[in-house]
Amino acid sequence: MTTESRQHACGVARSISGKRWVWRGGNMDLSHGGGLAGDALVDQLLLARGVGPDDLLRHRSPTLRTFLPDPSCFRDMDVAAERIAQAVLCREAVTIYGDYDVDGATSAALLVRLFAMLGHSAGFYIPDRLLEGYGPSGEALVRLANNGSSLVVTVDCGAMAHEALAQAHDAGLDVVVVDHHKCAHALPRAVALVNPNRLDEGDEAAGHGHLAAVGVAFLLAVAVVRTLRAHGFFSDREEPDLRALLDLVALGTVADVAALHGLNRAFVAQGLKIMAQRRNTGIAALIDASRLSRAPVCSDLGFALGPRINAGGRVGEATLGVRLLTTESPDEARALAEQLSRLNEERRAIEQTVQEEAEAQLTGQQDRAVHVLAGAGWHPGVIGIVAGRIKEKTGRPALVIALDPASATGKGSGRSISGVDLGAAIIAAREAGLLVAGGGHALAAGLTVSADKLGQFADFMEERLASRVADAQMGQTVALDLTVAPRGLNPYLAEQLEGAGPYGVGWPSPRIAVGSVSLIRADVVGQSHVRLIARGDDGHSFKAIGFRMAESELGQTLLHGSAQRRLWLAGRVKVDDWGSHPAAELHLDDAAFAGVN
């Protein structure tokens, strides 16, 4: 074996999908027996994710006590808390204005529940995705003012709503903005704008730029309670236990694909504990509607609960999610959860149609670094999901735009790859006059574009991002945490690996390589999933599955080109608890021929 091959995990310099295999941290080769156990394995996983040796204890069991910052470190936080406290003390009419996705719904529900804990009632307003679009509209804000609201708190939106907030100000309406999306240098007119991604934010607050809006809303809740305490509000009443709101924080954080490091890990770890107690009537009904027979784990929030909440805003009624998450009636919660489940099934069918039509356009964009795909009649509620699917398939940023011939505009949603800041590019396109509106995160963004500027916009994105996409693709690797022999792939290993969780974006779940193995079965199941049965030299067999992999080069090779050849399989360990004896299986990310560099 050459020196170069020893530098690659399992000696893989180029896998079947064309990627290098590298160690995330140190070389943890357990394929020959022995290895690490308990805290030692967890510590190695934490170290590989950037935790310092002196900080291991805090990260083994992330808690709010050790990770929660002083909310006052954020600009405008104290101003926002004081204004909301005054609304409570003076019994003002307050409306929470939220976005129509899971982060918006959980953020709005959190503040509605906070007001209820304080003995005050707050209304909520969720705009219709199709009729009103993203973010606060001036018309809606003025209408809320005319209906009696003196304070509106926007959550998961508002950071770029200059015109709408100016109209609110002229109507005499106070607005507090709670957001986490990228900001421009000029901020809209508001009583307070709390956002860790403000360009003028201090270092401590800016270090929390990965928070979802619901996490920022929770910090605001802490600040409001502290402010009311200073006003003597709790001299004759009990302070609310804000920990009861952490299930909402966990759900919104994971569903919004926020990076799970630092404070977010504490939010999710503690929020899952609250969720297991089924304190929130709506979330309990949602768990039941999702047919989960156990307490939810982190992945359930993103793949089972979150999509159902999202379905209301995508293809149904935008208020369904907040209504579910704020109701105290078990009967109402059950009915709403079942309705959202039906809408989620409808969403899947619509999504499939849009995805097929969008993918048909890819053949004409093979030389493009950024795919801009547009179609008339595409449902705006599913374009973000489709963009994510296409990004995964091509390994390039994808923007999917639903064109409306009546208005000659298109609503778009984009997803990017690691190392390519899509949100900043969208803001630049808006500032260049190519978009009606737009903004977002590094990995996800939204936009509104005039149909006659669609070509110019696509060219702008290509020119701005092509070199960055090329650099990102050149560096594509598969990071491994450890290797095991097939017999080492078992439920006990899965349990050990969970000790360094919860996992998500920015805190990846452990990826292991199993090998070398031969395939004794390879076929397609479900919607283009590749199912494998692999056997090692130790005589142990296990199941692996590659989701939506059948049409990819990797999937085709495993199905038709790997007979009689030894393989390394890389992926995530999951427990298949069907049947009387739980078994571990591998959710496949990549594969490589053994002994080939």
Side-chain angles (χ1 to χ4, degrees), residues 337-584:
E338 291 173 355
Q339 183 179 359
L340 285 168
S341 289
R342 290 192 299 271
L343 288 171
N344 194 45
E345 292 301 317
E346 181 182 338
R347 184 269 305 167
R348 289 178 177 175
I350 295 171
E351 173 195 325
Q352 182 64 31
T353 299
V354 174
Q355 183 169 340
E356 290 173 355
E357 294 180 7
E359 288 185 355
Q361 298 181 18
L362 289 174
T363 55
Q365 297 190 18
Q366 293 177 347
D367 59 342
R368 285 266 177 171
V370 180
H371 295 301
V372 179
L373 312 165
W378 290 355
H379 198 299
V382 303
I383 54 177
I385 302 173
V386 173
R389 299 268 191 248
I390 292 175
K391 182 264 297 185
E392 291 297 327
K393 180 175 183 177
T394 65
R396 304 175 187 179
L399 292 138
V400 178
I401 300 171
L403 296 174
D404 178 12
S407 64
T409 62
K411 299 286 187 181
S413 187
R415 299 294 183 267
S416 191
I417 61 177
S418 179
V420 180
D421 191 335
L422 186 62
I426 292 294
I427 291 175
R430 181 182 58 78
E431 293 176 342
L434 298 176
L435 298 176
V436 177
H441 319 294
L443 297 179
L447 61 97
T448 302
V449 61
S450 296
D452 59 357
K453 291 188 176 179
L454 186 57
Q456 291 176 264
F457 167 66
D459 290 342
F460 177 90
M461 297 298 288
E462 185 72 14
E463 182 178 352
R464 181 180 176 91
L465 297 179
S467 63
R468 300 175 197 185
V469 172
D471 290 343
Q473 290 180 325
M474 283 288 291
Q476 284 188 340
T477 60
V478 171
L480 296 178
D481 287 283
L482 68 155
T483 59
V484 297
R487 191 173 298 279
L489 185 70
N490 53 51
Y492 175 67
L493 175 63
E495 180 182 347
Q496 283 186 297
L497 296 178
E498 281 301 311
Y503 300 105
V505 173
W507 196 267
S509 60
R511 183 185 285 118
I512 75 167
V514 187
S516 64
V517 300
S518 58
L519 298 186
I520 59 178
R521 180 177 176 180
D523 57 7
V524 178
V525 295
Q527 295 183 344
S528 72
H529 309 317
V530 175
R531 179 178 58 186
L532 307 173
I533 303 296
R535 177 182 293 142
D537 292 336
D538 58 6
H540 185 78
S541 299
F542 64 91
K543 182 173 74 173
I545 185 163
F547 293 104
R548 299 183 183 87
M549 196 176 283
E551 297 180 6
S552 68
E553 178 183 357
L554 173 59
Q556 286 296 303
T557 301
L558 292 172
L559 288 167
H560 307 297
S562 56
Q564 311 303 318
R565 299 191 67 177
R566 306 291 293 178
L567 291 162
W568 280 97
L569 301 180
R572 327 283 175 151
V573 186
K574 300 293 179 181
V575 175
D576 180 1
D577 50 13
W578 286 95
S580 56
H581 298 290

Side-chain angles (χ1 to χ4, degrees), residues 8 20 71 82 109 136 184 203 216 265 276 282 310 317 352 365 380 402 456 499 572:
H8 297 102
R20 292 184 298 114
E82 180 62 36
D203 291 342
V216 183
R265 282 190 70 233
N310 255 337
E317 182 184 343
Q352 182 64 31
Q365 297 190 18
Q456 291 176 264
R572 327 283 175 151

Side-chain angles (χ1 to χ4, degrees), residues 102-127:
V102 185
D103 193 16
T106 51
S107 300
L110 185 148
L111 291 184
V112 169
R113 284 188 167 273
L114 171 68
F115 276 96
M117 290 174 168
L118 298 173
H120 192 61
S121 177
F124 61 85
Y125 185 93
I126 309 295

Side-chain angles (χ1 to χ4, degrees), residues 236-287:
D236 58 353
R237 70 187 73 199
E238 187 175 351
E239 288 195 18
D241 182 2
L242 297 182
R243 291 174 299 176
L245 302 172
L246 289 174
D247 50 3
L248 292 169
V249 182
L251 176 56
T253 297
V254 174
D256 207 52
V257 201
L260 289 193
H261 56 77
L263 178 57
N264 276 349
R265 282 190 70 233
F267 277 150
V268 174
Q270 299 307 314
L272 286 170
K273 295 177 183 178
I274 300 298
M275 196 173 290
Q277 299 170 15
R278 298 171 67 92
R279 295 192 190 185
N280 186 302
T281 303
I283 291 181
L286 196 64
I287 293 170

